[in-house]
Amino acid sequence: MGRRVEIFDTTLRDGEQSPGISLNPQEKLEIAKQLARLGVDVIEAGFPVASPGDFAAVETIAREVHGPVITALARCVPNDIEQAGTALKPAVRRRIHVFIATSPIHMEYKLRKKPDEVLAAAVTSVQLARQYADEVEFSAEDATRSDPDFLARVFGAVVEAGATVLNVPDTVGYILPEEFRQLLGYLREHVPGIDRVKLSVHCHNDLGLAVANSLVAVAAGVDQIECTINGLGERAGNAALEEVVMALRTRADVFGVETGIVTQEIYRTSRLVSALTGVSVQPNKAIVGENAFAHEAGIHQDGVLKARATYEIMTPESIGLKQSRLVLGKHSGRHAFRQRLQEMGYTLDDAQLQQAYERFIQLADRKKTVSEAELVALVSGLGGQLEVPEEYRLVRLLVTSGTPGFATATVSLQHAGVISTEAAVADGPVEACYQAIDRITGGHVELDSYQLQAVTGGKDAAGEVVVRLKENGQTFLGRGLSTDVIEASVQAYLHAFNKLVAARAMGAAHSGAQTQNEVAQAE
Ligand code: KIV
Ligand code: ZN
């Protein structure tokens, strides 16, 4: 057996810091459970001090997700560490992740601290964190632009203070692979006690080098790689988990290491994260993109038919992508539906199954067959969706549009047992629908973004719409799936709006919760 490299997933923390992403605790829990099935070693569940929602998500994941170590982020500030420690309390295996910047530019302009003050804060924070957790990870933010000598001094001091993992973040995605290899070698030689702890890296993708740098780090002997599903994360994102893992597996001849990842769960995890975050995966994305296993050129197709290995360095099955295209139709029945979902690895409770089946029947009514990709789109995020009460429900929709001319929409919604109908005229049919809905619900809501994509090829493909609504700095994501893209647009809008209504009811939208931006400003 080869050396084991641990996979630390930060989709729910760094990934959630991607612009426009905002997951509620239920959605985070659903992703965390899938990450556990994927076999990650560590789940970074959030940054508890950032908002009550983040605290609740970390606490829920700590209580309900077993297997991986659950970790939470904290600045080198006592209240951050106490909050992280409290949120993580229910976890069977917990780790507090403290960080402070060590580069000259961050220390001078962001922290306004002298190097010795930074070192002292790092040491006392690690000591405090150890009172809450046996595992404490210390990250030197912007490590790759730090003075290596100072970095080694800080790392040595925190090992002495009780840190069990040292993380070397390439926070701004600046370092080149060869430089990274040298830096890691330098740290191995100059950090006292480094052999007693785990060494980790956390690479950002600003120059498109996050995966390359993570792989160089593996070759240099690190114990842990930090990454995210679909490469989500601040700015250009983090190293993509699926790319790191499949590179290690496909080129095991070079790396000779193992991970605990069940690679057959990769596709499903990617799809779930994409569905719940609303960030679609680019078609040519390595490993999980729509085209990653598609062979277009005749010569390639011919080669693959003769021997797959001519143009395939890994199989679609190895990431859990089955090639079967036509799976179910409207006569398939509930039993076949449940069985097919089970084969695909989904175990839904009765309420979820009922909801998924109703959506399946609606889709199957309009199409001859429902493909596997459409099934995945149907059930992804069901846990999160079930949590949203359907305050407003679509009853009827009538749309006319043409060229040249305006579009008109008449929408009937049921709310509190009463059906209301409104009509609106606009430049396009989606806008007309949204205006009619706003009239019924009694106010204009800010539409932050709207995305439409076909789930599969073909003229009868289902369209998936992802909508983000914004209120008081909070974002609410909604999804809709239908062969009628206008209907999918309305479903998505209502799904997001119902979340917004639920947040209003809980007072969350108006609670003055500390947002991540406010935390950043307070630094
Ligand atoms: O990029 C970074 O430096 C981070 C740290 C908090 C690990 O995300
Ligand atoms: Zn980061």
Side-chain angles (χ1 to χ4, degrees), residues 10 13-14 17 169-171 202-204 226 234-235 238:
T10 182
R13 200 276 299 167
D14 216 324
Q17 283 172 225
D170 183 26
T171 303
H202 172 111
C203 300
H204 278 270
E226 301 196 357
E234 278 278 10
R235 304 179 310 278
N238 290 59

PDB file of all heavy atoms in Angstrom, residues 10 13-14 17 169-171 202-204 226 234-235 238, ligand 2:
ATOM      1  N   THR A  10     -12.912  21.964   1.374  1.00  0.00           N
ATOM      2  CA  THR A  10     -13.350  23.262   1.895  1.00  0.00           C
ATOM      3  C   THR A  10     -14.434  23.910   1.013  1.00  0.00           C
ATOM      4  O   THR A  10     -14.582  25.121   0.985  1.00  0.00           O
ATOM      5  CB  THR A  10     -12.145  24.199   2.178  1.00  0.00           C
ATOM      6  OG1 THR A  10     -12.635  25.438   2.726  1.00  0.00           O
ATOM      7  CG2 THR A  10     -11.318  24.476   0.942  1.00  0.00           C
ATOM      8  N   ARG A  13     -16.664  26.139   2.952  1.00  0.00           N
ATOM      9  CA  ARG A  13     -16.105  27.362   3.540  1.00  0.00           C
ATOM     10  C   ARG A  13     -15.474  28.222   2.450  1.00  0.00           C
ATOM     11  O   ARG A  13     -16.032  29.203   2.023  1.00  0.00           O
ATOM     12  CB  ARG A  13     -15.094  26.979   4.636  1.00  0.00           C
ATOM     13  CG  ARG A  13     -14.813  28.078   5.623  1.00  0.00           C
ATOM     14  CD  ARG A  13     -13.765  29.055   5.137  1.00  0.00           C
ATOM     15  NE  ARG A  13     -12.481  28.406   4.893  1.00  0.00           N
ATOM     16  CZ  ARG A  13     -11.489  29.010   4.228  1.00  0.00           C
ATOM     17  NH1 ARG A  13     -11.634  30.234   3.742  1.00  0.00           N
ATOM     18  NH2 ARG A  13     -10.347  28.379   4.010  1.00  0.00           N
ATOM     19  N   ASP A  14     -14.340  27.810   1.883  1.00  0.00           N
ATOM     20  CA  ASP A  14     -13.722  28.634   0.844  1.00  0.00           C
ATOM     21  C   ASP A  14     -14.617  28.651  -0.395  1.00  0.00           C
ATOM     22  O   ASP A  14     -14.795  29.682  -1.049  1.00  0.00           O
ATOM     23  CB  ASP A  14     -12.329  28.093   0.487  1.00  0.00           C
ATOM     24  CG  ASP A  14     -11.335  29.201   0.175  1.00  0.00           C
ATOM     25  OD1 ASP A  14     -11.761  30.201  -0.418  1.00  0.00           O
ATOM     26  OD2 ASP A  14     -10.150  29.063   0.500  1.00  0.00           O
ATOM     27  N   GLN A  17     -17.280  31.014  -0.329  1.00  0.00           N
ATOM     28  CA  GLN A  17     -16.841  32.405  -0.469  1.00  0.00           C
ATOM     29  C   GLN A  17     -16.810  32.856  -1.939  1.00  0.00           C
ATOM     30  O   GLN A  17     -16.469  33.985  -2.230  1.00  0.00           O
ATOM     31  CB  GLN A  17     -15.440  32.585   0.147  1.00  0.00           C
ATOM     32  CG  GLN A  17     -15.478  32.636   1.661  1.00  0.00           C
ATOM     33  CD  GLN A  17     -14.094  32.622   2.303  1.00  0.00           C
ATOM     34  OE1 GLN A  17     -13.855  31.903   3.269  1.00  0.00           O
ATOM     35  NE2 GLN A  17     -13.172  33.396   1.768  1.00  0.00           N
ATOM     36  N   PRO A 169      -0.870  27.965   2.732  1.00  0.00           N
ATOM     37  CA  PRO A 169      -1.779  28.419   1.672  1.00  0.00           C
ATOM     38  C   PRO A 169      -1.060  29.292   0.633  1.00  0.00           C
ATOM     39  O   PRO A 169      -0.271  30.163   0.983  1.00  0.00           O
ATOM     40  CB  PRO A 169      -2.820  29.250   2.419  1.00  0.00           C
ATOM     41  CG  PRO A 169      -2.551  29.077   3.874  1.00  0.00           C
ATOM     42  CD  PRO A 169      -1.114  28.689   3.988  1.00  0.00           C
ATOM     43  N   ASP A 170      -1.391  29.024  -0.623  1.00  0.00           N
ATOM     44  CA  ASP A 170      -0.993  29.945  -1.694  1.00  0.00           C
ATOM     45  C   ASP A 170      -2.238  30.811  -1.910  1.00  0.00           C
ATOM     46  O   ASP A 170      -2.983  30.649  -2.876  1.00  0.00           O
ATOM     47  CB  ASP A 170      -0.616  29.158  -2.954  1.00  0.00           C
ATOM     48  CG  ASP A 170      -0.130  30.081  -4.070  1.00  0.00           C
ATOM     49  OD1 ASP A 170       0.375  31.174  -3.757  1.00  0.00           O
ATOM     50  OD2 ASP A 170      -0.266  29.710  -5.247  1.00  0.00           O
ATOM     51  N   THR A 171      -2.441  31.723  -0.966  1.00  0.00           N
ATOM     52  CA  THR A 171      -3.703  32.455  -0.845  1.00  0.00           C
ATOM     53  C   THR A 171      -4.106  33.189  -2.114  1.00  0.00           C
ATOM     54  O   THR A 171      -5.287  33.259  -2.457  1.00  0.00           O
ATOM     55  CB  THR A 171      -3.585  33.447   0.338  1.00  0.00           C
ATOM     56  OG1 THR A 171      -3.263  32.681   1.500  1.00  0.00           O
ATOM     57  CG2 THR A 171      -4.860  34.227   0.574  1.00  0.00           C
ATOM     58  N   HIS A 202      -2.806  24.474   0.458  1.00  0.00           N
ATOM     59  CA  HIS A 202      -4.130  25.030   0.123  1.00  0.00           C
ATOM     60  C   HIS A 202      -3.870  26.000  -1.031  1.00  0.00           C
ATOM     61  O   HIS A 202      -3.342  27.090  -0.825  1.00  0.00           O
ATOM     62  CB  HIS A 202      -4.641  25.749   1.377  1.00  0.00           C
ATOM     63  CG  HIS A 202      -5.888  26.541   1.207  1.00  0.00           C
ATOM     64  ND1 HIS A 202      -7.086  26.168   1.775  1.00  0.00           N
ATOM     65  CD2 HIS A 202      -6.143  27.716   0.569  1.00  0.00           C
ATOM     66  CE1 HIS A 202      -8.014  27.066   1.497  1.00  0.00           C
ATOM     67  NE2 HIS A 202      -7.459  28.025   0.763  1.00  0.00           N
ATOM     68  N   CYS A 203      -4.178  25.564  -2.259  1.00  0.00           N
ATOM     69  CA  CYS A 203      -3.753  26.355  -3.422  1.00  0.00           C
ATOM     70  C   CYS A 203      -4.925  27.021  -4.124  1.00  0.00           C
ATOM     71  O   CYS A 203      -5.940  26.383  -4.402  1.00  0.00           O
ATOM     72  CB  CYS A 203      -3.024  25.451  -4.414  1.00  0.00           C
ATOM     73  SG  CYS A 203      -1.562  24.698  -3.684  1.00  0.00           S
ATOM     74  N   HIS A 204      -4.740  28.291  -4.440  1.00  0.00           N
ATOM     75  CA  HIS A 204      -5.747  29.022  -5.222  1.00  0.00           C
ATOM     76  C   HIS A 204      -5.323  29.076  -6.687  1.00  0.00           C
ATOM     77  O   HIS A 204      -4.159  28.867  -7.034  1.00  0.00           O
ATOM     78  CB  HIS A 204      -5.976  30.408  -4.624  1.00  0.00           C
ATOM     79  CG  HIS A 204      -6.928  30.370  -3.465  1.00  0.00           C
ATOM     80  ND1 HIS A 204      -8.283  30.517  -3.625  1.00  0.00           N
ATOM     81  CD2 HIS A 204      -6.713  30.146  -2.135  1.00  0.00           C
ATOM     82  CE1 HIS A 204      -8.875  30.410  -2.442  1.00  0.00           C
ATOM     83  NE2 HIS A 204      -7.939  30.173  -1.510  1.00  0.00           N
ATOM     84  N   GLU A 226      -5.783  20.529   0.441  1.00  0.00           N
ATOM     85  CA  GLU A 226      -7.066  21.202   0.629  1.00  0.00           C
ATOM     86  C   GLU A 226      -7.637  21.559  -0.743  1.00  0.00           C
ATOM     87  O   GLU A 226      -6.919  22.085  -1.604  1.00  0.00           O
ATOM     88  CB  GLU A 226      -6.894  22.454   1.488  1.00  0.00           C
ATOM     89  CG  GLU A 226      -6.321  22.096   2.843  1.00  0.00           C
ATOM     90  CD  GLU A 226      -6.460  23.164   3.910  1.00  0.00           C
ATOM     91  OE1 GLU A 226      -6.961  24.260   3.618  1.00  0.00           O
ATOM     92  OE2 GLU A 226      -6.059  22.883   5.042  1.00  0.00           O
ATOM     93  N   GLU A 234     -12.719  31.374  -3.463  1.00  0.00           N
ATOM     94  CA  GLU A 234     -12.459  32.807  -3.659  1.00  0.00           C
ATOM     95  C   GLU A 234     -11.893  33.077  -5.058  1.00  0.00           C
ATOM     96  O   GLU A 234     -11.035  32.338  -5.540  1.00  0.00           O
ATOM     97  CB  GLU A 234     -11.405  33.275  -2.641  1.00  0.00           C
ATOM     98  CG  GLU A 234     -11.936  33.590  -1.266  1.00  0.00           C
ATOM     99  CD  GLU A 234     -12.531  34.996  -1.164  1.00  0.00           C
ATOM    100  OE1 GLU A 234     -12.708  35.663  -2.199  1.00  0.00           O
ATOM    101  OE2 GLU A 234     -12.839  35.400  -0.041  1.00  0.00           O
ATOM    102  N   ARG A 235     -12.329  34.106  -5.688  1.00  0.00           N
ATOM    103  CA  ARG A 235     -11.867  34.574  -7.022  1.00  0.00           C
ATOM    104  C   ARG A 235     -11.875  33.439  -8.053  1.00  0.00           C
ATOM    105  O   ARG A 235     -12.916  32.899  -8.379  1.00  0.00           O
ATOM    106  CB  ARG A 235     -10.463  35.208  -6.918  1.00  0.00           C
ATOM    107  CG  ARG A 235     -10.359  36.352  -5.916  1.00  0.00           C
ATOM    108  CD  ARG A 235      -8.958  36.897  -5.868  1.00  0.00           C
ATOM    109  NE  ARG A 235      -7.992  35.830  -5.706  1.00  0.00           N
ATOM    110  CZ  ARG A 235      -7.678  35.263  -4.546  1.00  0.00           C
ATOM    111  NH1 ARG A 235      -8.203  35.720  -3.425  1.00  0.00           N
ATOM    112  NH2 ARG A 235      -6.811  34.281  -4.485  1.00  0.00           N
ATOM    113  N   ASN A 238     -10.298  27.345  -5.852  1.00  0.00           N
ATOM    114  CA  ASN A 238      -9.271  26.515  -5.203  1.00  0.00           C
ATOM    115  C   ASN A 238      -8.942  25.341  -6.124  1.00  0.00           C
ATOM    116  O   ASN A 238      -9.604  25.132  -7.138  1.00  0.00           O
ATOM    117  CB  ASN A 238      -9.822  25.943  -3.892  1.00  0.00           C
ATOM    118  CG  ASN A 238     -10.002  26.998  -2.814  1.00  0.00           C
ATOM    119  OD1 ASN A 238     -10.729  27.958  -2.982  1.00  0.00           O
ATOM    120  ND2 ASN A 238      -9.335  26.812  -1.700  1.00  0.00           N
TER     121      ASN A 238
HETATM  122 ZN    ZN B   2      -8.358  29.940   0.525  1.00  0.00          ZN
END
